[in-house]
Amino acid sequence: MGAESPVQFSVDRSSPVPLYFQLSQQLEAAIEHGKLAPGSLLGNEIELAGRLGLSRPTVRQAIQSLVDKGLLVRRRGIGTQVVHSQVKRPLELSSLYDDLEAAGQKPATRVLLNTTTTADAEVAAALGIAEGDEVALVERLRLTHGEPVAHLRNHLPVGLLKLESAALEETGLYRLMRSAGITLHSARQAVGARAATAEEGERLDEPEGAPLLTMQRTTFDDTGRAVEFGSHVYRASRYAFEFQLLVRP
């Protein structure tokens, strides 16, 4: 790789896995684990092909596969550059902040709204309260490497914990809940997808109509009380959910 990218790669010619795919997987792993940070420049295709003993078309195909995923971009006069890594989040009861931090993604938060409001029918049903009851409402923009990844909207029972905007910008909501003595036990969650509205596109730096992942989650403590209802949208170009599927015995 070039001077900015001292990461080493190798390919196994005896493997049935295509050489371009082996290289693209190693490049993707280096990007995901922060070994190739956003803004890093890759060496040119001729240099990389020569060092690995691969053909230029093989290297070009590996790079193109990551360009297609949005992890790399070819810039005229600059070369091939790392844009960002896609966040791959396991489906478990954890916060986005914790998952991003564990993946070395340098999370940051911008609090857009921190107020109280009245519960509509959806929020009331999720939290097990009466429609029209007062609830806390927090809206945040979650960023990694300075780029927006998700818009988070959370409703919580009033008085559950103190929600200070400064604290919400420093850490994740679940950490604050645990610090307040709330034991998170389980959650009911639904994942979907839809097109971005103009407002969402502007907020998330995506064009109107771009694909977004959606997630709604109701979280319960160890007494069975609903303590949070989240309704979030994520940039599909930056974010993915991972599932582990098991065969029933």
Side-chain angles (χ1 to χ4, degrees):
M1 307 301 289
E4 293 187 40
S5 307
V7 184
Q8 298 299 312
F9 301 98
S10 62
V11 294
D12 180 2
R13 297 179 184 279
S14 65
S15 170
V17 178
L19 297 178
Y20 89 88
F21 189 74
Q22 292 185 46
L23 179 57
S24 70
Q25 289 291 94
Q26 291 178 60
L27 280 166
E28 185 170 354
I31 294 170
E32 284 185 5
H33 295 113
K35 295 178 181 178
L36 287 173
S40 298
L41 291 172
L42 302 187
N44 62 51
E45 294 171 3
I46 297 175
E47 175 194 345
L48 188 54
R51 187 157 62 80
L52 293 176
L54 298 173
S55 68
R56 245 185 111 184
T58 295
V59 173
R60 186 182 301 116
Q61 189 175 5
I63 290 175
Q64 185 60 47
S65 68
L66 299 186
V67 170
D68 293 341
K69 286 186 176 182
L71 302 181
L72 300 176
V73 65
R74 287 188 171 102
R75 302 191 187 280
R76 187 182 300 275
I78 297 177
T80 304
Q81 191 172 26
V82 177
V83 181
H84 54 76
S85 58
Q86 186 183 53
V87 179
K88 294 184 178 179
R89 185 180 183 187
L91 278 180
E92 57 187 36
L93 187 51
S94 60
S95 73
L96 176 58
Y97 189 95
D98 291 341
D99 290 336
L100 291 173
E101 191 172 66
Q105 292 286 334
K106 299 179 181 178
T109 304
R110 188 180 305 154
V111 176
L112 305 177
L113 190 64
N114 184 3
T115 187
T116 57
T117 186
T118 55
D120 61 18
E122 181 181 40
V123 172
L127 294 179
I129 59 177
E131 187 174 351
D133 280 0
E134 190 176 40
V135 289
L137 169 61
V138 175
E139 287 192 31
R140 295 161 294 158
L141 191 66
R142 184 62 42 78
L143 307 96
T144 64
H145 302 291
E147 290 192 357
V149 175
H151 175 245
L152 313 175
R153 182 179 173 90
N154 299 84
H155 289 86
L156 302 92
V158 167
L160 182 70
L161 76 161
K162 194 172 184 179
L163 292 169
E164 295 183 346
S165 295
L168 288 164
E169 290 189 345
E170 288 295 323
T171 189
L173 177 60
Y174 281 5
R175 285 190 189 179
L176 293 176
M177 294 172 79
R178 292 187 180 101
S179 296
I182 299 166
T183 302
L184 304 179
H185 179 266
S186 61
R188 184 171 60 245
Q189 179 168 287
V191 177
R194 59 175 173 78
T197 65
E199 181 182 2
E200 288 169 334
E202 182 176 359
R203 182 184 291 133
L204 294 172
D205 196 21
E206 291 279 2
E208 183 179 0
L212 297 178
L213 292 173
T214 66
M215 190 258 285
Q216 286 192 331
R217 174 190 282 181
T218 304
T219 305
F220 303 90
D221 67 7
D222 56 351
T223 70
R225 172 184 57 165
V227 293
E228 174 251 348
F229 173 61
S231 184
H232 310 326
V233 292
Y234 306 84
R235 299 174 71 179
S237 62
R238 304 289 195 272
Y239 194 87
F241 289 105
E242 286 193 334
F243 299 78
Q244 181 177 13
L245 305 179
L246 302 177
V247 176
R248 290 186 181 274

